[in-house]
Amino acid sequence: MRRRLGISVTTTAVHALLADRRRVHWAASVSYSSPDDLVEVFARLASDAPEPLRRARIGLGPDVARLRALDPAPPFRPSQARRHVALECDRLFRNGHGPLVTDARIVSIAPGHRVLVAAAASEDVVKRVVAGCEQAGLDVECIGPALEALPFATSYREGSVVLPTSSGVLHVELTRGRAWRVQHTGNEPGETAWHPSLAALHETSALYAAAFSLTRARPHLDLLPVMSRQRAERGRTTRLLRLAAIAAVTWAGAFVITALRYSAADRTAAAELATLAPRLNGIMVVRRDLDAAAGALRTMAAAEHRRSRHLSLLAELTRSLNDSITLASLRIDPDSTLRLSGYAPVADQAVVALERLPGLSNVHLESPPTRQRISVGTRVVERDQFHLVARLASRQ
């Protein structure tokens, strides 16, 4: 399970806590007397950690980062709200201690009710915090008011609550788990419903509450200096470009390897075909000869079958036609159509004679008969020239 490091910074101490979703693994606190000591403080925390620390979420306590709520919010868009707070920071926060780092956001409390929440912190302190993280080898994931995420260390999500912190007792207004208005109060809170993992720290729970809340949520307000923000953005862009380059090189390498494998397989197959070519040619010649012989046998069998059928048909025709009918031509088409031409005293005699044959059907004259004079022996007689068509019945 991923562990996150939360660090809260007040004007007198730095509290660090390493936790995951189930429990707190490490917590430490270092006091300091001057902002100049922050670099050394972060170095000590990094050296005391039970494992190497890489990334951290930084929260600035209420005595370092101040929150201001404008209720109701001016009719600004979020980008306009940030510019307005940056321009009016001296008036909004009564600053007299050098330049400030600011941020703002619009919070919707109820339908039609919006509040502008602004935060500001000393630019010098923020830069020293960032420098301390860099010297300790920590990548700053975010830096903002610790109070904004403080409710995530408790079970409170809505309404007005009183919370003890390392900087005193605070009256906090919550909306959807985020603090939007904070006031110092002298009232002692009752029993605070801390998160079970934080409650395991017993009497030090209030000291580490801000650091613990950062391991569970990030502040929406960003107080990272402009230069650091731009450097972080360039770092993210550089990492994305590096990942894109690695992906492109990987795809190119995979393409080249695949192409080489296909080329090697093609060469191997070509070499094997060249080796087997003589044998394959001989086998193909034998196969063609076998196919040709089988085709010849089938042709001969079909011809023999047709020849036997045609001989039997001629015999039947000879028996059915009397001596006065003379055949001139006989043709059997591939579609089993029989065509007869000849001479008869009357053409209908040939039609009647062929209709008696069981192997013929649909016997009819293809064209009207014509009367012709032909020689029969030494005599010249008149006969009808006929052209008959019939259908051969199929035989199994």
Side-chain angles (χ1 to χ4, degrees):
M1 188 174 295
R2 184 180 179 183
R3 300 179 181 181
R4 288 192 173 93
L5 175 65
I7 299 177
S8 64
V9 180
T10 67
T11 55
T12 58
V14 176
H15 305 279
L17 185 141
L18 184 67
D20 56 26
R21 288 291 178 182
R22 294 181 179 177
R23 64 188 182 94
V24 175
H25 295 274
W26 171 73
S29 176
V30 178
S31 300
Y32 69 98
S33 57
S34 171
D36 297 333
D37 301 331
L38 284 173
V39 175
E40 181 182 353
V41 168
F42 279 94
R44 286 179 57 187
L45 288 173
S47 63
D48 293 341
E51 60 183 64
L53 304 178
R54 295 289 180 264
R55 298 171 64 86
R57 293 176 177 179
I58 309 298
L60 304 178
D63 51 355
V64 178
R66 288 169 288 172
L67 285 179
R68 176 76 184 274
L70 300 183
D71 186 11
F76 292 151
R77 292 193 296 270
S79 59
Q80 294 174 332
R82 292 188 179 94
R83 289 196 296 269
H84 172 76
V85 172
L87 292 174
E88 300 292 333
C89 62
D90 292 335
R91 180 180 62 84
L92 293 173
F93 296 98
R94 299 190 181 127
N95 178 42
H97 305 284
L100 298 177
V101 180
T102 62
D103 196 12
R105 68 186 182 98
I106 303 294
V107 178
S108 179
I109 305 299
H113 183 192
R114 302 194 316 161
V115 177
L116 187 149
V117 181
S122 171
E123 184 177 9
D124 180 61
V125 174
V126 174
K127 285 183 177 180
R128 291 180 186 275
V129 170
V130 174
C133 291
E134 291 178 350
Q135 291 294 327
L138 291 174
D139 184 13
V140 178
E141 187 176 341
C142 62
I143 182 169
L147 290 176
E148 192 186 11
L150 182 61
F152 285 89
T154 70
S155 60
Y156 308 122
R157 289 295 178 269
E158 296 288 339
S160 177
V161 297
V162 178
L163 296 175
T165 68
S166 59
S167 302
V169 180
L170 302 176
H171 183 87
V172 182
E173 298 288 342
L174 304 178
T175 296
R176 290 186 292 276
R178 297 285 180 173
W180 59 274
R181 177 180 289 163
V182 179
Q183 293 177 344
H184 288 271
T185 179
N187 299 327
E188 289 294 330
E191 187 69 23
T192 304
W194 297 117
H195 188 278
S197 299
L198 181 61
L201 299 180
H202 304 294
E203 65 275 3
T204 59
S205 297
L207 295 177
Y208 293 100
F212 177 82
S213 66
L214 293 169
T215 65
R216 301 182 60 81
R218 296 177 51 161
H220 284 166
L221 296 172
D222 187 5
L223 296 178
L224 198 65
V226 176
M227 295 300 295
S228 300
R229 198 177 303 171
Q230 292 175 349
R231 184 164 60 251
E233 186 66 28
R234 287 196 298 270
R236 284 192 293 269
T237 303
T238 302
R239 285 193 295 271
L240 288 176
L241 292 176
R242 187 181 294 114
L243 289 175
I246 293 173
V249 171
T250 303
W251 278 104
F255 176 79
V256 171
I257 292 173
T258 304
L260 292 176
R261 288 184 60 185
Y262 277 119
S263 178
D266 182 67
R267 289 195 298 270
T268 302
E272 292 180 355
L273 287 175
T275 302
L276 298 174
R279 298 179 183 178
L280 291 175
N281 290 336
I283 293 172
M284 294 302 294
V285 170
V286 174
R287 182 57 183 267
R288 285 194 295 270
D289 292 343
L290 288 175
D291 291 342
L297 290 174
R298 287 193 297 271
T299 302
M300 293 173 64
E304 182 68 23
H305 179 66
R306 289 195 297 270
R307 180 170 176 271
S308 61
R309 288 187 61 191
H310 295 167
L311 289 177
S312 61
L313 176 62
L314 287 176
E316 292 175 358
L317 289 175
T318 302
R319 287 194 297 270
S320 62
L321 298 176
N322 57 37
D323 295 339
S324 62
I325 300 175
T326 305
L327 292 180
S329 66
L330 181 147
R331 188 180 71 185
I332 301 176
D333 295 336
D335 59 353
S336 299
T337 300
L338 174 66
R339 299 181 184 277
L340 284 175
S341 298
Y343 300 92
V346 178
D348 291 338
Q349 293 178 355
V351 175
V352 172
L354 292 181
E355 285 179 345
R356 297 193 186 100
L357 293 179
L360 296 180
S361 62
N362 195 20
V363 180
H364 62 279
L365 291 171
E366 187 175 17
S367 59
T370 58
R371 198 69 176 175
Q372 302 285 341
R373 295 174 63 86
I374 62 173
S375 299
V376 178
T378 58
R379 296 178 303 123
V380 177
V381 297
E382 290 186 355
R383 295 285 190 271
D384 286 345
Q385 185 179 15
F386 61 86
H387 299 282
L388 291 176
V389 177
R391 173 71 63 178
L392 288 174
S394 60
R395 296 183 182 179
Q396 300 297 330

